[in-house]
Amino acid sequence: MTATPKGFEMSDDYAHGRRDGLRLALAILAAEEAKWLALLGESRSWRTNATREVRYKALQVAQTRVQTALNRLTPQNETSMNNELASALKKLGL
């Protein structure tokens, strides 16, 4: 994600939409991560197991990056976390 250029203010609706999109991405990544977690070590093939471990780790890294982007888009003047954001993150286990 790139920083907002000086002089360009995002509308509240636009910013909220971006945060919603990132929350959706987190939910999708969490579902994929759970799928791959269940498959780790289940195959008789070491190659398949290695591939699954790599995919699982990649999903964890992606979740961290999306979470970081979401944190950057959250208004900094808010001292407490938005209830909507907190419930979405709780669902994802973050």
Side-chain angles (χ1 to χ4, degrees):
M1 298 266 148
T2 58
T4 306
K6 288 185 178 183
F8 177 77
E9 295 295 322
M10 277 193 268
S11 73
D12 288 339
D13 289 339
Y14 181 77
H16 183 74
R18 286 183 75 180
R19 290 190 300 269
D20 283 347
L22 288 172
R23 287 186 199 109
L24 177 61
L26 278 172
I28 292 167
L29 287 169
E32 283 295 308
E33 181 185 15
K35 178 180 99 174
W36 287 105
L37 178 62
L39 295 173
L40 289 178
E42 292 294 315
S43 176
R44 287 183 273 170
S45 168
W46 67 270
R47 230 178 245 158
T48 300
N49 286 329
T51 300
R52 288 175 178 171
E53 287 179 31
V54 168
R55 286 181 181 164
Y56 178 72
K57 185 62 180 174
L59 288 166
Q60 287 179 320
V61 169
Q63 274 187 313
T64 302
R65 289 182 178 177
V66 171
Q67 181 63 51
T68 300
L70 181 58
N71 289 342
R72 288 180 181 162
L73 287 176
T74 302
Q76 294 183 5
N77 59 356
E78 290 182 12
T79 55
S80 63
M81 189 179 290
N82 182 332
N83 288 338
E84 180 186 354
L85 177 59
S87 66
L89 295 177
K90 186 175 179 181
K91 274 184 181 177
L92 298 174
L94 298 174

